[in-house]
Amino acid sequence: MDPLQKARIGKTKLYVPRLGLGGAGLAGLYQPADEGESKATIKAALDKGVAYCDTAPLYGYGQSERFYGSVLKNYDRDSFAISTKVGKVVRSSDGAGTGSSATTMSFEMSRDGTLRSIEDSLKRLQLDKLDICLIHDPDAYPTGPEEGYRLAVTEVYPTLAELRSQGVIKAVGAGMNQCEMLTRFAHDVEMDCFLLAGRHTLIDHSAVPELLPVCQEKGISIILGGPFNSGILASDLKRGAKFNYRDASEEILNKARAVKDVCDRFKVPMKAAALQYVFRQPSVATTVPGARTPAEFEENFQLMQHPIPNELWDVMEEEELIP
């Protein structure tokens, strides 16, 4: 698969490459981030033509956005697309939301909170407009998912839709680690895309029964985050490998080992299969694996192009490893 092949986001005029760059790892997910390495990774992706970057205020309390901003300012604004998120606002010890002294993160799912979050993100990113804005994890709202959903639909979404109509944002969506609420969004409001993390992978098929079909029906694009399921599909499958941000259970490890066994039979790296599997569903536009270093990014870029025979997928289906 060509990682630079363009895919359309929803029914908008925005196109992104099949391979994007996720921003959580750049800001220190699981281990501290090295600022120089993170910025070099962003530059390596952009110079390679991987011109879609995802980030969020949550990632490193704004650190991911700041890293992106320091690099993106050196590139033509029309040469890349970027997505960030609203719903969680960074607060610094000095009371601002843009400095490096950020110490807290709070949910603010009001119209004012949404506008303030976007303003702060634009400052950190050193940009004057966004391409995609996603409502971040309303299912984790402190007083419960139902209240989070209500605020997302009645406060946050109308604000983003207004900015979309004004051309400030090109596409509007939601991002989370589960399918059920995204399916509700698809039915209730006019979303362009969803960032779905880890629920459509080689070992987690949660999105297949309901979410992916409704997205295809309504023309909603999927941005697939976490194609390695927090690391397990890029690991040696020993105890301690991460799945869904936690140590994987023996059941999950065994499922991944069965997948790897098929990949080994066809001499295909499991990471290559993990990156390319997601595109077997037509609603998936792009995937945004995290990379901490230029070398990790380059590996992902090459693995996207690794030949995978159709027989590999046939065997996985026959052995009931994938739907």
Side-chain angles (χ1 to χ4, degrees), residues 231-232 235-243 246-249 253:
I232 187 171
S235 74
D236 56 11
L237 302 183
K238 295 179 180 177
R239 288 188 177 181
K242 300 297 182 185
F243 173 77
R246 298 184 178 91
D247 287 354
S249 67
L253 283 168

Side-chain angles (χ1 to χ4, degrees), residues 201-205 229 232-233 237 251-274 277 312-313 315-317 319-322:
T201 71
L202 280 174
I203 57 172
D204 189 323
H205 314 125
N229 273 128
I232 187 171
L233 292 173
L237 302 183
E251 178 186 0
I252 293 295
L253 283 168
N254 287 334
K255 186 182 292 189
R257 288 165 184 154
V259 166
K260 186 177 185 301
D261 178 66
V262 176
C263 291
D264 289 346
R265 284 182 240 167
F266 287 91
K267 296 181 171 56
V268 170
M270 183 170 64
K271 289 176 70 174
Y277 167 74
L312 179 145
W313 306 123
V315 171
M316 285 196 182
E317 288 179 2
E319 297 188 9
E320 299 184 345
L321 297 174
I322 60 174

Side-chain angles (χ1 to χ4, degrees), residues 202-237:
L202 280 174
I203 57 172
D204 189 323
H205 314 125
S206 309
V208 173
E210 295 186 49
L211 179 60
L212 295 179
V214 75
C215 286
Q216 186 174 355
E217 175 192 342
K218 293 181 174 289
I220 299 170
S221 293
I222 294 288
I223 300 164
L224 203 289
F228 302 133
N229 273 128
S230 307
I232 187 171
L233 292 173
S235 74
D236 56 11
L237 302 183

Side-chain angles (χ1 to χ4, degrees), residues 3-7 9 14-23 26 42 45-46 48-55 68 72 77 79-85 130-134 171 193-196 221-225 285-289 297:
L4 301 182
Q5 177 187 350
K6 295 287 188 177
I9 294 295
L14 177 64
Y15 287 79
V16 298
R18 290 294 194 180
L19 179 65
L21 180 64
L26 296 171
I42 298 166
L46 293 168
K48 200 85 171 183
V50 172
Y52 170 50
C53 308
D54 176 66
T55 185
Y68 272 124
L72 293 175
R77 181 60 185 89
S79 69
F80 63 86
I82 188 155
S83 56
T84 193
K85 305 174 184 74
L130 297 171
D131 297 292
I132 303 171
C133 197
L134 304 159
C193 56
F194 294 137
L195 197 158
L196 175 67
S221 293
I222 294 288
I223 300 164
L224 203 289
T286 183
T287 186
V288 286
F297 162 75

Side-chain angles (χ1 to χ4, degrees), residues 10-313:
K11 300 172 184 177
T12 72
K13 296 180 180 180
L14 177 64
Y15 287 79
V16 298
R18 290 294 194 180
L19 179 65
L21 180 64
L26 296 171
L29 181 66
Y30 299 135
Q31 62 190 53
D34 180 283
E35 182 173 353
E37 289 258 76
S38 294
K39 292 178 180 179
T41 303
I42 298 166
K43 185 176 186 302
L46 293 168
D47 289 348
K48 200 85 171 183
V50 172
Y52 170 50
C53 308
D54 176 66
T55 185
L58 176 66
Y59 303 158
Y61 293 98
Q63 188 176 54
S64 175
E65 290 182 325
R66 286 191 292 273
F67 288 170
Y68 272 124
S70 66
V71 178
L72 293 175
K73 66 181 181 181
N74 300 312
Y75 291 80
D76 180 79
R77 181 60 185 89
D78 294 329
S79 69
F80 63 86
I82 188 155
S83 56
T84 193
K85 305 174 184 74
V86 295
K88 300 177 181 180
V89 177
V90 177
R91 282 291 165 261
S92 308
S93 56
D94 59 5
T98 56
S100 58
S101 59
T103 55
T104 61
M105 175 75 64
S106 62
F107 271 94
E108 293 192 25
M109 296 185 64
S110 64
R111 175 182 173 81
D112 288 346
T114 299
L115 293 173
R116 183 165 57 250
S117 179
I118 291 174
E119 181 181 0
D120 288 348
S121 288
L122 288 172
K123 288 178 181 177
R124 288 189 290 266
L125 290 165
Q126 302 184 52
L127 299 173
D128 60 2
K129 60 182 178 181
L130 297 171
D131 297 292
I132 303 171
C133 197
L134 304 159
I135 306 171
H136 201 182
D137 291 343
D139 57 320
Y141 195 70
T143 57
E146 285 303 315
E147 180 65 3
Y149 187 76
R150 184 188 71 80
L151 291 171
V153 170
T154 62
E155 292 274 343
V156 185
Y157 173 76
T159 306
L160 297 181
E162 181 182 328
L163 295 174
R164 179 176 57 188
S165 69
Q166 296 170 355
V168 177
I169 297 168
K170 295 179 181 178
V172 170
M176 59 189 77
N177 301 308
Q178 55 122 303
C179 303
E180 292 79 10
M181 190 174 286
L182 291 180
T183 302
R184 290 177 67 184
F185 277 125
H187 287 294
D188 292 348
V189 292
E190 293 185 14
M191 294 286 198
D192 302 301
C193 56
F194 294 137
L195 197 158
L196 175 67
R199 303 287 78 84
H200 170 52
T201 71
L202 280 174
I203 57 172
D204 189 323
H205 314 125
S206 309
V208 173
E210 295 186 49
L211 179 60
L212 295 179
V214 75
C215 286
Q216 186 174 355
E217 175 192 342
K218 293 181 174 289
I220 299 170
S221 293
I222 294 288
I223 300 164
L224 203 289
F228 302 133
N229 273 128
S230 307
I232 187 171
L233 292 173
S235 74
D236 56 11
L237 302 183
K238 295 179 180 177
R239 288 188 177 181
K242 300 297 182 185
F243 173 77
N244 204 22
Y245 311 108
R246 298 184 178 91
D247 287 354
S249 67
E250 197 64 25
E251 178 186 0
I252 293 295
L253 283 168
N254 287 334
K255 186 182 292 189
R257 288 165 184 154
V259 166
K260 186 177 185 301
D261 178 66
V262 176
C263 291
D264 289 346
R265 284 182 240 167
F266 287 91
K267 296 181 171 56
V268 170
M270 183 170 64
K271 289 176 70 174
L275 284 171
Q276 296 186 45
Y277 167 74
V278 302
F279 295 104
R280 286 169 57 80
Q281 292 285 342
S283 53
V284 177
T286 183
T287 186
V288 286
R292 299 175 185 278
T293 66
E296 286 185 7
F297 162 75
E298 181 62 30
E299 182 184 25
N300 290 339
F301 189 87
Q302 297 302 324
L303 290 172
M304 279 283 288
Q305 302 173 77
H306 194 287
I308 298 181
N310 288 330
E311 290 79 8
L312 179 145
W313 306 123

